[in-house]
Amino acid sequence: MIQRVDSKVDADTTIYLFSHGSTGVEGILRIDIDGYIMSLFVQEEARGKGIGTELMQTAFAVLREIGKSTVGLSVHHDNHRARALYERLGFLPYMPGHDGYTQFVKVL
């Protein structure tokens, strides 16, 4: 089950998506309303079960719902598992970032 929680601090809104399983929270995704995925985390014991994919697909739906047409994120070049997930979901690298990170973008 995916739970959405919106958090507003001053003028900034962050949307949290929580994936709940039999052991509690198994994954968390955090996005800002500008269409940037700030973080994705899946508990180690829950990896490989499609939780990251489900959280990302839910994030895409939320972003479309608020009128966004693209989504961006950054990932470290050593994080091969995350890069594979993002590329499988249609993200394309478009700009090398700082400290070994690459910016990715996807059209929704």
Side-chain angles (χ1 to χ4, degrees), residues 47-98:
R47 294 179 186 167
K49 297 179 181 179
I51 293 167
T53 298
E54 183 181 27
L55 285 166
M56 293 292 286
Q57 290 173 338
T58 303
F60 301 158
V62 167
L63 290 169
R64 282 188 204 99
E65 180 183 296
I66 62 173
K68 300 301 173 190
S69 59
T70 60
V71 59
L73 56 82
S74 64
V75 64
H76 196 270
H77 70 274
D78 287 339
N79 194 341
H80 303 290
R81 190 171 190 155
R83 289 177 68 102
L85 169 65
Y86 302 146
E87 289 172 1
R88 189 172 68 248
L89 292 171
F91 281 87
L92 298 171
Y94 74 93
M95 183 175 72
H98 63 291

